[in-house]
Amino acid sequence: MKTPLRSRLFASLFAALAAGAWIALWSWDAGPYARYLHHASWTELPGIGPMCRALPGASITLAASLHSVAWLLMIAAMMLPTAFPLFDTFRRMTLSRTSWRTLTALLIAGYATAWAAFGLVAHGFDAALHLLAERSSTLLADGWLIGAAIVALAGVYQFSSLKHRCLDKCRSPLMFITEHWHGRSPRRESFLLGVSHGVFCIGCCWALMLLMFAVGTGSVGWMLALGAIMAAEKNLRWGRVIGRPLGVALLAWSAWIVVQNARFV
């Protein structure tokens, strides 16, 4: 198979994977089990808290399993497309090996593993906060403060040097591969390359991903918007100029949440 045809086929398969994840999320959101896709928004917790207390919950095992599946679908839909330049560069560099398909699959699996680990931490922290809120009338009434704090944190992080160092790593896929993959133990190195890139990707995007918990995870519209922003920041030339305006917008949004809720206190 000629290389250009392989490239088109790989891009098509990758696009189909991402599109399938988006379709699955949209179908889930429109179905009878949508409640397991969503987490309550901290900005609206005072209004929906009593209802959450009254609704019967699923078993911990079922809820955790469904939330895990939802998170992996979100990663496939939102984050895998942002890392396509790395995956495609690696595929082209390993085409001479008979096991290039396996190596590419291990690279993607390593990347997904890093994000899955971050998801466990983020969901665990969010679940602990919600459990605390359900047992505290004060925190339940003022849960919007947590939402405002998460939005403000995402805004401040847009100006951090750590974010920009991580972005520099993500914007140079060829250099990243040559630094982390030497081919002496190809399968292990491919998986670890994916994990390493995933860690730097988390370093770029973790604060923006936490916005999903501030406004309520599971909104397909929010996922599309955040996925587009993160893809632009990492892969487009003008992505370097949107960071600071986005940070200002997030800080303004946080202030608006405070003003809107403080007047009722």
Side-chain angles (χ1 to χ4, degrees), residues 223-259:
M223 284 188 279
L224 279 168
L226 289 174
I229 289 171
M230 290 183 284
E233 276 194 318
K234 290 169 63 176
N235 298 316
L236 298 181
R237 291 182 179 178
W238 52 268
R240 298 176 182 272
V241 303
I242 67 174
R244 286 178 173 78
L246 178 60
V248 172
L250 289 170
L251 290 172
W253 181 18
S254 176
W256 180 81
I257 293 173
V258 173
V259 170

Coordinates of all heavy atoms in Angstrom, one line a residue, residues 223-259:
M223 N -18.4 20.0 25.8 CA -17.3 19.1 25.3 C -16.8 19.5 24.0 O -15.5 19.6 23.7 CB -17.7 17.6 25.3 CG -17.8 17.0 26.7 SD -18.1 15.2 26.6 CE -19.8 15.2 26.4
L224 N -17.7 19.8 23.0 CA -17.2 20.3 21.7 C -16.4 21.6 21.8 O -15.4 21.8 21.2 CB -18.5 20.5 20.8 CG -19.1 19.3 20.2 CD1 -20.4 19.6 19.6 CD2 -18.1 18.8 19.1
A225 N -16.9 22.5 22.6 CA -16.3 23.8 22.8 C -14.9 23.7 23.4 O -13.9 24.2 22.9 CB -17.1 24.8 23.6
L226 N -14.8 22.9 24.5 CA -13.5 22.7 25.2 C -12.5 21.9 24.3 O -11.3 22.2 24.2 CB -13.7 22.0 26.5 CG -14.4 22.9 27.6 CD1 -14.7 22.0 28.8 CD2 -13.5 24.1 28.0
G227 N -13.1 20.9 23.6 CA -12.2 20.1 22.7 C -11.6 21.0 21.6 O -10.4 20.9 21.2
A228 N -12.4 21.9 21.0 CA -12.0 22.8 20.0 C -10.9 23.7 20.5 O -9.9 24.0 19.8 CB -13.2 23.5 19.4
I229 N -11.1 24.3 21.7 CA -10.1 25.2 22.3 C -8.8 24.5 22.5 O -7.7 25.0 22.2 CB -10.7 25.8 23.6 CG1 -11.8 26.8 23.3 CG2 -9.6 26.5 24.3 CD1 -12.6 27.2 24.5
M230 N -8.9 23.3 23.1 CA -7.6 22.6 23.4 C -6.9 22.2 22.1 O -5.7 22.2 22.1 CB -7.9 21.4 24.3 CG -8.3 21.8 25.7 SD -8.6 20.5 26.9 CE -10.2 19.9 26.3
A231 N -7.6 21.8 21.1 CA -7.0 21.4 19.8 C -6.3 22.6 19.2 O -5.2 22.5 18.7 CB -8.0 20.8 18.9
A232 N -7.0 23.7 19.3 CA -6.4 25.0 18.7 C -5.2 25.4 19.4 O -4.2 25.7 18.8 CB -7.5 26.1 18.7
E233 N -5.2 25.3 20.7 CA -4.0 25.7 21.5 C -2.8 24.9 21.2 O -1.7 25.4 21.1 CB -4.3 25.6 23.0 CG -5.0 26.8 23.6 CD -5.0 26.7 25.2 OE1 -5.2 25.6 25.7 OE2 -4.8 27.8 25.8
K234 N -3.0 23.6 21.0 CA -1.9 22.7 20.8 C -1.4 22.6 19.3 O -0.2 22.3 19.1 CB -2.3 21.3 21.2 CG -2.5 21.1 22.7 CD -3.1 19.8 23.1 CE -2.3 18.6 22.8 NZ -2.9 17.4 23.2
N235 N -2.3 22.8 18.4 CA -2.0 22.4 17.0 C -2.1 23.5 16.0 O -1.6 23.3 14.8 CB -2.9 21.2 16.5 CG -2.7 20.0 17.4 OD1 -1.6 19.6 17.7 ND2 -3.8 19.4 17.8
L236 N -2.6 24.6 16.3 CA -2.8 25.7 15.3 C -1.8 26.8 15.6 O -1.5 27.1 16.8 CB -4.2 26.2 15.3 CG -5.3 25.2 14.9 CD1 -6.6 25.9 14.9 CD2 -5.0 24.6 13.5
R237 N -1.3 27.5 14.5 CA -0.4 28.6 14.7 C -0.9 29.7 15.6 O -0.2 30.2 16.5 CB 0.1 29.1 13.4 CG 0.9 28.2 12.5 CD 1.3 28.8 11.2 NE 2.1 27.9 10.4 CZ 2.6 28.2 9.2 NH1 2.3 29.4 8.7 NH2 3.3 27.3 8.6
W238 N -2.2 30.0 15.4 CA -2.7 31.1 16.2 C -3.2 30.6 17.6 O -3.7 31.4 18.4 CB -3.9 31.8 15.4 CG -5.0 30.8 14.9 CD1 -5.0 30.2 13.7 CD2 -6.1 30.3 15.7 NE1 -6.1 29.4 13.6 CE2 -6.8 29.5 14.8 CE3 -6.6 30.6 17.0 CZ2 -8.0 28.8 15.2 CZ3 -7.8 29.9 17.3 CH2 -8.5 29.1 16.5
G239 N -3.0 29.3 17.9 CA -3.4 28.8 19.2 C -2.6 29.5 20.3 O -3.0 29.5 21.4
R240 N -1.4 30.0 20.0 CA -0.5 30.6 21.0 C -1.1 31.9 21.5 O -0.8 32.4 22.6 CB 0.9 30.9 20.4 CG 1.6 29.6 20.0 CD 2.9 30.0 19.3 NE 3.7 28.8 18.9 CZ 4.5 28.1 19.7 NH1 4.7 28.5 20.9 NH2 5.1 27.0 19.2
V241 N -2.0 32.5 20.7 CA -2.5 33.9 21.1 C -3.8 33.8 21.8 O -4.3 34.8 22.3 CB -2.6 34.8 19.8 CG1 -1.3 34.9 19.1 CG2 -3.7 34.3 18.9
I242 N -4.4 32.6 21.9 CA -5.8 32.6 22.5 C -5.7 32.3 24.0 O -6.7 32.5 24.7 CB -6.7 31.5 21.9 CG1 -6.1 30.1 22.1 CG2 -6.8 31.8 20.4 CD1 -7.1 29.0 21.6
G243 N -4.5 31.9 24.5 CA -4.4 31.5 25.9 C -4.8 32.6 26.9 O -5.6 32.5 27.8
R244 N -4.1 33.8 26.7 CA -4.4 34.9 27.7 C -5.8 35.5 27.6 O -6.4 35.7 28.6 CB -3.3 36.0 27.5 CG -1.9 35.6 28.0 CD -0.9 36.6 27.8 NE 0.4 36.3 28.4 CZ 1.3 35.4 28.0 NH1 1.0 34.8 26.9 NH2 2.3 35.1 28.7
P245 N -6.3 35.7 26.3 CA -7.7 36.2 26.3 C -8.7 35.2 26.9 O -9.7 35.6 27.6 CB -8.0 36.3 24.8 CG -6.6 36.6 24.2 CD -5.7 35.8 25.0
L246 N -8.4 33.9 26.7 CA -9.3 32.9 27.3 C -9.2 32.9 28.9 O -10.2 32.8 29.6 CB -8.8 31.5 26.8 CG -9.6 30.3 27.4 CD1 -11.1 30.4 27.1 CD2 -9.1 29.0 26.9
G247 N -7.9 33.2 29.4 CA -7.8 33.3 30.8 C -8.5 34.5 31.4 O -9.2 34.4 32.4
V248 N -8.5 35.6 30.7 CA -9.3 36.8 31.1 C -10.7 36.5 31.1 O -11.5 36.9 32.0 CB -8.9 38.0 30.2 CG1 -9.9 39.2 30.5 CG2 -7.5 38.4 30.4
A249 N -11.2 35.8 30.0 CA -12.6 35.5 29.9 C -13.1 34.6 31.1 O -14.2 34.7 31.7 CB -12.9 34.8 28.6
L250 N -12.3 33.6 31.4 CA -12.6 32.7 32.5 C -12.6 33.4 33.9 O -13.5 33.2 34.7 CB -11.6 31.5 32.6 CG -11.7 30.5 31.4 CD1 -10.5 29.6 31.4 CD2 -13.0 29.8 31.5
L251 N -11.7 34.3 34.1 CA -11.7 35.1 35.3 C -12.9 36.0 35.4 O -13.5 36.1 36.5 CB -10.4 35.9 35.4 CG -9.1 35.1 35.7 CD1 -7.9 36.0 35.6 CD2 -9.1 34.5 37.0
A252 N -13.3 36.5 34.3 CA -14.5 37.4 34.3 C -15.8 36.5 34.5 O -16.7 37.0 35.2 CB -14.6 38.1 32.9
W253 N -15.8 35.3 34.0 CA -16.9 34.4 34.2 C -17.0 34.0 35.7 O -18.1 34.0 36.3 CB -16.7 33.1 33.4 CG -17.8 32.1 33.5 CD1 -19.1 32.3 34.0 CD2 -17.8 30.7 33.1 NE1 -19.8 31.2 34.0 CE2 -19.0 30.2 33.4 CE3 -16.8 30.0 32.6 CZ2 -19.3 28.8 33.2 CZ3 -17.0 28.6 32.3 CH2 -18.3 28.1 32.6
S254 N -15.8 33.8 36.3 CA -15.8 33.5 37.8 C -16.4 34.6 38.6 O -17.2 34.4 39.5 CB -14.4 33.1 38.2 OG -14.3 32.9 39.6
A255 N -16.0 35.8 38.2 CA -16.5 37.0 38.9 C -18.0 37.2 38.7 O -18.7 37.5 39.7 CB -15.7 38.3 38.4
W256 N -18.5 36.9 37.6 CA -19.9 36.9 37.3 C -20.7 36.0 38.1 O -21.8 36.3 38.7 CB -20.2 36.7 35.8 CG -21.6 36.8 35.4 CD1 -22.4 37.9 35.2 CD2 -22.5 35.6 35.3 NE1 -23.6 37.5 34.9 CE2 -23.8 36.2 34.9 CE3 -22.4 34.3 35.4 CZ2 -24.9 35.4 34.7 CZ3 -23.5 33.5 35.2 CH2 -24.7 34.0 34.8
I257 N -20.1 34.7 38.3 CA -20.8 33.7 39.2 C -20.9 34.2 40.6 O -21.9 34.1 41.2 CB -20.0 32.4 39.1 CG1 -20.1 31.8 37.7 CG2 -20.5 31.4 40.2 CD1 -19.2 30.5 37.6
V258 N -19.8 34.9 41.1 CA -19.8 35.4 42.4 C -20.9 36.5 42.6 O -21.7 36.5 43.5 CB -18.4 36.0 42.8 CG1 -18.5 36.7 44.1 CG2 -17.4 34.8 42.9
V259 N -20.9 37.4 41.6 CA -21.8 38.6 41.7 C -23.3 38.1 41.6 O -24.1 38.5 42.4 CB -21.5 39.6 40.5 CG1 -22.7 40.6 40.4 CG2 -20.2 40.2 40.7

